[in-house]
């Protein structure tokens, strides 16, 4: 290995300890790392890490427990890529346990591009099919534990007159009863492709123990064949994908936890906007006492004091962030929180003393933000808006001004609170509901099976520029004051992005 050039006798930039002790609350955009020394290739960078004390990952990516982000397909896809998905709990106990079981049964985490509707739906536009040739009909109108009732093809619908199109789908869909459409859930992808060619049906239903776990079309197979090859997936002792789940801190969550453990959950995240509470401390102790082999992640926290209380209670991981998400209004409504870069650095500085992994939750808009979060001490990044709008995210695609979009909502929005997320904000016992989030929409991002591999390669390039060949080496370079930072002015932030053009098209990959 080439010898590292001697450090210059002059100082340039600031060590992290000094920069984050100036009384300012910095976001990721507020700070910039100064480049260091390169003596290795991008491919030599390892992003392997830990989600929690006993859950290793090959990439530092976690999907947020939000009902417009993480259900079965997202959880399975994140695990197949080497990360992990955290299933939301904005549903009843049986539904959440069922999502976990389905995620673990998705050997091939292919989320179909086809439209999915409930029986009473009326197809009024060809947009309902999306890029696929099918609209599938399930009892719930989703692919979560799909009981496939029938299907409509695009060619069939286009031949119908206007009067026929006003009928409910159930009245003219083609039934798909019988075993002619089904294949085992654990069949190889090549065999699925062969079955599609042989039966000329255009799609197959994957079943496990008599239950449908997924529907895959011929178009879906062709699409995923073009995705980058991912590294080793996150597989548990049972040979299935590792899946995490969120729970609250109420007495009823103890029953929820029991069902999640029976479903095979591999880690639980105590989901609270302010994690330093008697409720969470007691729940941490209960989980560790009742299920000592199960990792429990506490949070959210943004200060060293909050973190220390949870560490002493016995958490296996910490989730950092308060009001930094794109749909979160906690800082605006409650006047509490912290800039995410400052929060991550401060919490990581104390968590590292106990060997507790830190999840940087929120504020991630690009690969540069991921690099900053990881180098500042985080073991993983938790992403909501970054993954929302993907093929694997729950919800149907819609069109707005010619753009394909999906709904994305904060768990602190009034809409989400009506389904139960208000306990996350300790508001389930109050008569008045105060929103700490909004409902919005995000653009179609395609599949995370393509988005994440390209994003991770960009992160590796950032690590290379910093002279860090792994997360561990990055943390050591930061603690030794070898890596230096500066705060950026507003003008510097503008200069650091695209500027001075009349028009441009921005493609990340």
């Amino acid at each position: 290995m080439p010898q590292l050039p001697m450090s210059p006798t002059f100082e340039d930039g600031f060590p992290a300890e000094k920069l984050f002790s100036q009384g300012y609350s910095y976001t990721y955009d507020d700070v910039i790392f100064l480049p260091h020394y390169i003596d290795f290739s991008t491919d030599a960078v390892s992003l392997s890490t830990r989600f929690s004390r006993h859950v290793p990952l090959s990439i530092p990516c976690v999907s947020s427990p939000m009902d417009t982000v993480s259900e079965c397909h997202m959880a399975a896809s994140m695990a197949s890529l080497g990360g992990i998905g955290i299933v939301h709990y904005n549903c009843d106990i049986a539904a959440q346990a069922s999502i976990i079981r389905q995620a673990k049964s998705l050997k091939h985490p292919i989320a179909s591009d086809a439209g999915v509707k409930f029986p009473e739906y009326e197809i009024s536009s060809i947009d309902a099919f999306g890029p696929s040739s099918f609209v599938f009909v399930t009892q719930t109108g989703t692919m979560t534990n799909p009981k496939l009732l029938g299907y409509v093809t695009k060619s069939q619908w286009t031949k119908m007159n206007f009067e026929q199109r006003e009928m409910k789908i159930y009245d003219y869909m083609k039934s798909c009863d019988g075993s002619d459409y089904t294949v085992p859930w654990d069949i190889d992808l090549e065999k699925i492709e062969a079955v599609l060619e042989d039966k000329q049906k255009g799609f197959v239903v994957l079943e496990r123990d008599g239950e449908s776990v997924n529907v895959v079309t011929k178009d879906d197979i062709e699409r995923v064949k073009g995705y980058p090859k991912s590294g080793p997936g996150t597989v548990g002792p049972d040979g299935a994908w590792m899946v995490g789940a969120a729970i609250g801190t109420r007495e009823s969550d103890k029953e929820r936890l029991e069902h999640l453990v029976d479903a095979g959950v591999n880690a639980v995240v105590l989901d609270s906007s302010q994690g330093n509470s008697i409720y969470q401390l007691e729940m941490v102790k209960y989980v560790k006492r009742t299920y000592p082999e199960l990792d429990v992640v506490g949070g959210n926290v943004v200060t060293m004091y909050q973190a220390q209380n949870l560490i002493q209670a016995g958490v296996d991981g910490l989730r950092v962030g308060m009001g930094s998400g794109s749909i979160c209004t906690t800082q605006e409504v409650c006047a509490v929180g912290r800039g995410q870069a400052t929060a991550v650095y401060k919490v990581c500085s104390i968590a590292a003393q106990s060997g507790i992994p830190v999840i940087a939750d929120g504020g991630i808009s690009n690969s540069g933000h991921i690099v900053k979060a990881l180098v500042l001490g985080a073991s993983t990044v938790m992403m909501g808006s970054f993954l929302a709008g993907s093929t694997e995210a729950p919800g149907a695609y819609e069109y707005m001004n010619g753009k394909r979009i999906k709904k994305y909502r904060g768990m602190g929005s009034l809409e989400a609170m009506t389904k139960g997320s208000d306990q996350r904000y300790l508001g389930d016992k109050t008569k008045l509901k105060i929103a700490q989030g909004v409902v919005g929409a995000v653009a179609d991002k395609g599949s995370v099976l393509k988005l994440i591999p390209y994003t991770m390669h960009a992160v590796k390039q950032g690590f290379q520029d910093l002279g860090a060949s792994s997360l561990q080496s990055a943390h050591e370079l930061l603690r030794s004051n070898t890596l230096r930072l500066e705060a950026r002015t507003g003008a510097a932030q503008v200069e650091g992005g695209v500027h001075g053009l009349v028009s441009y098209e921005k493609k990340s990959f």
Side-chain angles (χ1 to χ4, degrees):
M1 179 183 293
Q3 186 175 357
L4 186 70
M6 294 181 60
S7 299
T9 55
F10 52 84
E11 290 192 354
D12 200 356
F14 299 91
E17 184 178 8
K18 183 174 182 180
L19 184 70
F20 290 108
S21 300
Q22 304 297 315
Y24 294 101
S25 188
Y26 291 117
T27 67
Y28 293 135
D29 284 336
D30 288 326
V31 298
I32 193 75
F33 280 99
L34 304 187
H36 192 43
Y37 176 73
I38 298 174
D39 60 356
F40 53 86
S41 67
T42 306
D43 291 336
V45 177
S46 169
L47 296 179
S48 61
T49 183
R50 290 182 298 156
F51 167 71
S52 55
R53 201 189 301 264
H54 303 109
V55 178
L57 306 176
S58 58
I59 62 170
C61 298
V62 183
S63 68
S64 181
M66 304 173 73
D67 59 9
T68 50
V69 178
S70 295
E71 288 188 353
C72 53
H73 283 97
M74 182 65 75
S77 295
M78 293 300 290
S80 75
L81 292 165
I84 193 168
I86 311 301
V87 175
H88 72 87
Y89 70 116
N90 211 22
C91 56
D92 61 46
I93 295 173
Q96 189 181 20
S98 183
I99 290 171
I100 291 171
R101 289 191 184 94
Q102 186 182 357
K104 286 177 165 288
S105 299
L106 291 174
K107 179 182 177 181
H108 308 294
I110 302 172
S112 181
D113 253 343
V116 187
K117 305 299 179 185
F118 52 89
E120 292 76 25
Y121 188 83
E122 297 176 10
I123 301 179
S124 59
S125 169
I126 200 169
D127 291 342
F129 291 86
S132 175
S133 301
F134 294 93
V135 163
F136 293 115
V137 184
T138 67
Q139 198 64 53
T140 60
T142 73
M143 277 297 179
T144 301
N145 296 302
K147 175 60 178 174
L148 192 62
L149 303 177
Y151 65 95
V152 179
T153 66
K154 187 180 291 184
S155 60
Q156 173 192 352
W157 184 84
T158 53
K159 294 174 183 176
M160 293 167 56
N161 59 41
F162 289 107
E163 186 175 326
Q164 291 173 319
R165 292 178 184 179
E166 291 178 353
M167 298 165 60
K168 312 294 185 188
I169 303 180
Y170 191 82
D171 294 326
Y172 61 86
M173 71 180 190
K174 296 179 180 178
S175 176
C176 51
D177 292 333
S179 60
D180 202 33
Y181 291 87
T182 62
V183 295
W185 69 280
D186 56 353
I187 189 173
D188 291 337
L189 203 61
E190 293 76 16
K191 290 184 179 179
I192 294 177
E193 192 172 10
V195 170
L196 287 168
E197 289 291 343
D198 180 52
K199 295 190 176 182
Q200 295 292 310
K201 295 291 184 183
F203 70 91
V204 292
V205 180
L206 279 68
E207 283 193 354
R208 183 177 190 178
D209 300 327
E211 297 288 331
S212 301
V213 296
N214 204 9
V215 180
V216 177
T217 71
K218 188 175 181 179
D219 291 339
D220 296 327
I221 297 292
E222 290 300 318
R223 174 168 53 85
V224 299
K225 283 165 65 176
Y227 293 158
K229 293 189 180 299
S230 56
T234 309
V235 179
D238 58 357
W241 302 129
M242 295 189 82
V243 179
I247 63 172
T249 56
R250 299 302 191 209
E251 192 66 26
S252 60
D253 286 291
K254 294 178 181 178
E255 179 188 357
R256 180 182 291 269
L257 178 60
E258 181 182 354
H259 285 268
L260 299 183
V261 171
D262 288 343
V265 74
N266 299 102
V268 292
V269 174
L270 300 187
D271 195 31
S272 176
S273 64
Q274 213 284 50
N276 187 32
S277 69
I278 185 64
Y279 314 109
Q280 183 157 147
L281 295 176
E282 290 180 349
M283 183 59 86
V284 169
K285 294 173 184 176
Y286 171 81
V287 176
K288 298 309 297 181
R289 183 173 63 250
T290 312
Y291 305 100
E293 302 301 316
L294 182 66
D295 274 12
V296 56
V297 174
N300 281 30
V301 298
V302 292
T303 71
M304 299 169 75
Y305 167 68
Q306 289 178 299
Q308 185 62 29
N309 280 348
L310 289 174
I311 291 171
Q312 291 175 350
V315 295
D316 299 296
L318 286 168
R319 185 178 170 196
V320 175
M322 196 170 184
S324 57
S326 63
I327 38 68
C328 186
T329 59
T330 298
Q331 294 186 19
E332 175 186 325
V333 173
C334 300
V336 292
R338 202 171 202 176
Q340 188 68 343
T342 299
V344 169
Y345 175 76
K346 291 291 187 180
V347 172
C348 289
S349 63
I350 192 167
Q353 298 173 19
S354 303
I356 300 297
V358 169
I359 304 160
D361 174 24
I364 301 295
S365 298
N366 52 55
S367 58
H369 291 164
I370 297 175
V371 172
K372 291 175 184 179
L374 297 176
V375 177
L376 287 173
S379 296
T380 56
V381 292
M382 180 174 278
M383 297 172 285
S385 64
F386 193 83
L387 303 177
S390 65
T391 310
E392 292 76 11
Y397 282 109
E398 300 173 10
Y399 284 84
M400 179 185 295
N401 299 325
K403 291 185 177 180
R404 199 168 182 237
I405 62 168
K406 267 190 182 180
K407 176 189 278 189
Y408 176 53
R409 69 184 182 191
M411 299 309 288
S413 65
L414 292 177
E415 183 177 287
M417 283 185 175
T418 60
K419 292 187 64 178
S421 69
D422 48 354
Q423 72 160 287
R424 183 178 193 272
Y425 301 87
L426 302 180
D428 56 321
K429 304 297 184 183
T430 63
K431 293 182 179 179
L432 300 179
K433 306 296 183 186
I434 305 299
Q436 293 188 40
V438 300
V439 179
V442 291
D444 176 12
K445 296 184 178 71
S447 174
V448 296
L449 299 176
K450 184 176 182 180
L451 173 65
I452 293 298
Y454 279 103
T455 301
M456 288 301 97
H457 192 74
V459 170
K460 287 184 176 183
Q461 289 181 330
F463 269 61
Q464 183 190 40
D465 284 341
L466 292 170
S469 59
S470 67
L471 269 72
Q472 294 72 27
S473 66
H475 297 167
E476 290 169 5
L477 289 169
L478 188 77
R479 285 193 290 267
S480 66
N481 296 336
T482 302
L483 288 183
R484 317 287 280 194
L485 303 90
E486 288 179 344
R488 295 201 293 176
T489 64
Q493 292 181 41
V494 171
E495 185 181 68
V498 179
H499 61 280
L501 303 179
V502 175
S503 65
Y504 67 93
E505 181 182 10
K506 187 175 183 180
K507 288 186 177 181
S508 298
F509 51 81

